[in-house]
């Protein structure tokens, strides 16, 4: 997080900002008053649904001699799926967004990015401190609604009855008649918004919150789609009652999606249900990406002024989008019962916000939600290896002085509750000389949860630290990796997850160089295995652990406060790829 500038430094910074801003505005205030020459390129990537309106605004600006000083601005607008641009930007900053994967090779990093949601900016800025886009103000809005075929919605009381997310959660988790779906929320902002809203509703279930959350996610996962177009295609294409009953019955989509769908006059129109509390809207931030030179920044500022004019509001209406305040302009075809204004306030990510956005967005909540989704919905095979060296007996003041081992057991128990029976899981413990001269001991072999869940739950009680035991990290890591190689399963994410609170302390075992050489020799790219370390406390060397994961693939997650181990575990699970061999 950037520190705030104070005192004389703050005054100087403010004066500089006034000078720069005044210069920028002086440059583009003359855009219609004088002719211009040359061509200053401004590359804009916009979400496909808003791109036509942005292109029309660019054409109008060009016709009006849009310029910076005496130089004409040539705005190049490209319709780009936000997930593709996010992958490019993440790659530039050396980070990986959960579920996004590598850049496709066709998308580029533009000067200005108009994704469909500020959540993309927030997810990137929370991982990459160098990602500090400027402006970030909303230029449009599309509320996230629950789209239902009208006969299905009518059965639930629409349009007379106002439904809540709690009502929908109950329908999803206790009934069998409503077929739900979702676009993969790691790759789709409307899907993420709906998932966050359902998660908040499930969180109000008290002692049953985790059970309600897991049930909802599993129900959604049965009808998930990687692409929005594929999901929408599963709505009923016939008015026949049997067709309606067997088709998709509910999905979180944008209002614009519903408007576009109904414009094609399908056999059964979609109802847009505006559930309460209102989920996070798509807010279309205008993000000037880092690295823009002064001329490009001035051109971006000038074009932004065009997108905030009255004419752009009507162009948005033609595309089924609202203005940033949630009202609509001419040409907008409002769904039945659509309120005005509607949706949540724009969420603006500021460069000095430290990764926090206005409008109720919380990067911790987003990370936790996506991690939980990934852990519940992606089939996997995992070997969990838990440190039981003597230091795991250390009490944790921030968690009522329970021990590190207690917190680790509880985190593992909660994680186990998230995994469905499609998972396979094994459990080891390790210290030094835990089983004769061997540093590790198997408690449960890697087995399907469908047959060994009770045994695993019982085995967690055996995760008891060995007083005066040291940390046999290197020998254990190699043994766990080789075991997972023997058990490797196609079509699953195969991983070893090692919980530890210290460095390697086994002087009679492998050295670090020997471990790395062994792993490099046995690693098989055709049978990938991720090694994930969850470091607990201040005795962990992140550099030591990263030297291992750089060889095997995987990641290192360290928290100095062991009370945070639950969230760290979810983050680690979310690191797994969404495509498997």
């Amino acid at each position: 997080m950037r520190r705030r500038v104070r005192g004389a430094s703050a005054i100087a910074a403010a004066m500089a900002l006034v000078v720069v801003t005044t210069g920028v505005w002086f440059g583009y205030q003359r855009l219609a008053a004088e002719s211009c020459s040359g061509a200053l390129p401004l590359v804009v990537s916009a979400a496909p649904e808003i791109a036509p309106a942005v292109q029309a605004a660019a054409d109008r600006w060009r016709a009006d001699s849009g310029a910076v000083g005496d130089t004409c601005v040539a705005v190049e607008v490209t319709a780009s799926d936000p997930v593709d641009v996010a992958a490019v930007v993440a790659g530039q900053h050396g980070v990986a967004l959960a579920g996004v994967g590598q850049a496709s090779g066709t998308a580029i990093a533009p000067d200005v990015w108009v994704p469909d949601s500020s959540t993309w900016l927030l997810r990137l800025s929370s991982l990459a401190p160098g990602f500090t886009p400027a402006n970030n103000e909303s230029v449009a809005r599309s509320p996230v609604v629950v789209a239902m075929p009208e006969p299905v919605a009518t059965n639930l009381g629409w349009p007379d009855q106002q439904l809540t997310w709690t009502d929908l959660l109950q329908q999803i988790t206790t009934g069998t008649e409503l077929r739900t779906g979702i676009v993969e929320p790691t790759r789709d902002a409307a899907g993420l918004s709906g998932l966050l809203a359902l998660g908040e509703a499930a969180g109000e279930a008290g002692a049953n919150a985790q059970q309600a959350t897991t049930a909802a996610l599993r129900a959604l996962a049965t009808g998930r789609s990687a692409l929005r177009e594929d999901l929408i295609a599963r709505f009923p294409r016939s008015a026949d009652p049997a067709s309606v009953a067997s088709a998709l019955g509910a999905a979180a989509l944008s209002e614009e999606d519903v408007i576009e769908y109904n414009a094609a006059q399908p056999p059964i129109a979609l109802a847009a249900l505006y559930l309460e509390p209102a989920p996070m809207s798509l807010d279309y931030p205008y993000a000037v990406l880092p690295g823009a030179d002064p001329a490009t920044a001035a051109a971006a500022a000038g074009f932004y002024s065009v997108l905030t004019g009255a004419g752009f509001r009507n162009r948005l209406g033609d595309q089924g989008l609202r203005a940033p305040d949630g009202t609509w302009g001419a040409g907008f075809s409002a769904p039945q019962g659509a309120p005005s204004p509607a949706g949540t306030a724009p969420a603006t990510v500021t460069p000095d916000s430290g990764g926090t956005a206005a409008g109720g967005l919380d990067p911790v909540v987003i990370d936790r939600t996506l991690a939980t989704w990934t852990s519940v919905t992606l089939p996997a095979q995992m070997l969990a290896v838990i440190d039981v060296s003597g230091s795991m007996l250390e009490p944790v003041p921030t968690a009522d002085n329970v021990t590190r081992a207690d917190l680790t057991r509880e985190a593992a128990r909660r994680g186990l509750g998230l995994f469905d029976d499609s998972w396979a899981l094994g459990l080891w413990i390790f210290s030094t000389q835990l089983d004769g001269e061997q540093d590790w001991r198997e408690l449960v072999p890697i087995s399907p949860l469908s047959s060994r869940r009770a045994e695993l739950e019982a085995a967690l009680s055996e995760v008891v630290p060995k007083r005066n035991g040291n940390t046999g990290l290197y020998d254990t890591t190699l043994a766990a990796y080789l075991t997972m190689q023997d058990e490797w399963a196609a079509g699953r994410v195969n991983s070893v997850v090692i919980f530890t609170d210290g460095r390697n302390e086994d002087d009679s075992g492998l050295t670090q160089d020997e471990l790395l050489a062994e792993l490099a020799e046995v690693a098989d790219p055709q049978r990938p295995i991720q090694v994930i370390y969850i470091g607990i406390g201040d005795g962990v060397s992140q550099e030591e652990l990263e030297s291992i994961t750089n060889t095997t693939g995987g990641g290192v997650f360290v928290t100095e406060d062991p009370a945070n181990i639950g969230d760290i575990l979810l983050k680690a699970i979310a690191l797994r790829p969404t495509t498997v061999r």
Side-chain angles (χ1 to χ4, degrees):
M1 179 184 297
R2 291 187 176 184
R3 283 193 278 176
R4 297 184 182 277
V5 184
R6 298 182 179 179
S9 296
I11 296 173
M15 293 288 290
L17 179 62
V18 169
V19 170
V20 172
T21 304
T22 301
V24 168
W25 277 91
F26 179 77
Y28 70 76
Q29 273 183 319
R30 299 159 52 193
L31 57 94
E34 301 177 4
S35 60
C36 58
S37 60
L40 173 63
L42 181 68
V43 179
V44 179
S45 288
E49 63 271 22
I50 197 175
V54 175
Q55 182 66 67
D59 293 343
R60 181 71 266 171
W61 196 36
R62 183 183 302 111
D64 291 341
S65 300
V68 171
D70 296 325
T71 304
C72 299
V73 177
V75 181
E76 178 186 335
V77 180
T78 302
S80 301
D81 194 314
V83 70
D84 293 333
V85 180
V88 172
V89 174
Q92 286 184 328
H93 290 268
V95 298
L97 292 182
V100 168
Q102 301 297 315
S104 64
T106 58
I108 61 169
D111 301 314
V112 175
W113 184 24
V114 187
D116 55 4
S117 173
S118 291
T119 54
W120 293 111
L121 308 182
L122 186 61
R123 290 174 66 188
L124 284 162
S125 62
S126 67
L127 286 175
F131 181 71
T132 54
N135 191 312
N136 305 317
E137 295 293 333
S138 171
V139 295
R141 182 191 297 185
S142 188
V144 171
V145 301
V146 173
M148 287 186 180
E150 287 189 354
V152 177
T154 301
N155 288 339
L156 296 179
W158 174 86
D160 302 321
Q161 183 178 342
Q162 175 65 60
L163 295 178
T164 67
W165 285 96
T166 301
D167 295 330
L168 182 63
L169 179 67
Q170 185 174 8
Q171 289 284 334
I172 291 175
T173 57
T174 63
T176 58
E177 296 181 358
L178 187 63
R179 294 178 178 268
T180 57
I182 190 172
V183 186
E184 174 60 51
T186 60
R187 302 174 61 85
D188 183 83
L192 174 58
S193 176
L195 190 65
L196 289 167
L198 267 180
E200 185 175 349
E204 296 173 358
N208 297 321
Q210 180 169 330
Q211 182 180 355
T213 300
T214 302
L217 297 189
R218 288 176 182 164
L220 289 174
T222 60
R224 68 174 166 179
S225 295
L227 300 175
R228 195 179 313 175
E229 294 78 9
D230 292 344
L231 183 78
I232 291 173
R234 290 167 41 213
F235 283 116
R237 298 296 178 175
S238 167
D240 175 68
S243 176
V244 174
S246 62
L248 181 64
L253 295 171
S254 71
E255 180 185 66
E256 183 272 334
D257 287 325
V258 174
I259 292 172
E260 181 182 26
Y261 184 89
N262 288 342
Q265 298 183 333
I268 294 181
L270 292 180
L273 277 61
Y274 298 81
L275 271 58
E276 294 293 341
M280 173 186 62
S281 296
L282 303 187
D283 62 340
Y284 299 92
Y286 185 89
V288 182
L289 297 192
D293 59 50
T296 301
F303 188 47
Y304 172 71
S305 71
V306 176
L307 301 187
T308 55
F312 190 63
R313 175 190 181 89
N314 293 334
R315 291 190 175 99
L316 291 172
D318 290 336
Q319 298 303 128
L321 296 169
R322 298 177 183 238
D325 63 359
T327 61
W328 60 68
F332 184 83
S333 299
Q336 182 178 350
S340 181
T344 56
T348 303
V349 181
T350 57
D352 62 350
S353 66
T356 302
L361 297 184
D362 184 338
V364 174
V365 172
I366 291 174
D367 282 348
R368 183 185 300 128
T369 300
L370 290 177
T372 303
W373 166 261
T374 303
S375 66
V376 169
T377 60
L378 193 61
Q381 180 162 267
M382 176 189 295
L383 176 58
V385 185
I386 299 178
D387 189 344
V388 291
S389 59
S391 55
M392 291 291 283
L393 288 167
E394 185 173 322
V396 180
T398 55
D400 297 327
N401 285 320
V402 301
T403 68
R404 293 176 174 180
D406 291 332
L407 290 173
T408 304
R409 275 195 303 269
E410 182 58 27
R413 186 171 284 110
R414 290 187 178 183
L416 186 60
L418 290 175
F419 308 149
D420 68 17
D421 286 349
S422 69
W423 278 60
L425 200 67
L427 179 62
W428 289 11
I429 54 176
F430 78 102
S431 177
T432 49
Q433 297 182 328
L434 198 59
D435 188 1
E437 294 298 314
Q438 186 173 281
D439 291 341
W440 66 93
R441 184 165 74 240
E442 179 183 84
L443 299 183
V444 180
I446 299 171
S447 316
L449 272 180
S450 57
S451 61
R452 305 293 277 267
R453 186 181 295 272
E455 185 178 349
L456 278 160
E457 290 175 348
L460 285 172
S461 63
E462 298 182 45
V463 180
V464 178
K466 175 185 177 182
R467 291 190 181 277
N468 302 318
N470 291 326
T471 306
L473 184 64
Y474 294 161
D475 284 8
T476 301
T477 295
L478 180 59
Y481 190 88
L482 293 174
T483 297
M484 184 56 72
Q485 276 195 324
D486 291 341
E487 300 289 339
W488 193 90
R492 292 175 176 266
V493 177
N494 295 264
S495 60
V496 175
V497 178
I498 301 177
F499 301 79
T500 184
D501 72 342
R503 302 166 181 254
N504 182 67
E505 298 171 326
D506 184 4
D507 295 335
S508 63
L510 293 169
T511 66
Q512 184 176 14
D513 288 343
E514 288 171 340
L515 171 64
L516 297 179
E518 290 270 11
L519 289 171
E521 182 177 346
V522 301
D524 182 356
Q526 299 304 312
R527 295 160 61 91
I529 297 169
Q530 287 194 316
V531 175
I532 298 172
Y533 286 102
I534 298 179
I536 309 162
D538 56 7
V540 176
S541 168
Q542 183 150 346
E543 182 179 358
E544 173 190 31
L545 300 180
E546 285 179 345
S547 72
I548 300 170
T549 60
N550 287 341
T551 301
T552 61
V556 177
F557 298 83
V558 176
T559 174
E560 292 192 4
D561 184 355
N564 296 329
I565 188 173
D567 285 342
I568 294 296
L569 173 59
L570 288 175
K571 270 191 176 183
I573 292 171
L575 176 70
R576 304 174 310 155
T578 56
T579 57
V580 294
R581 291 183 180 276

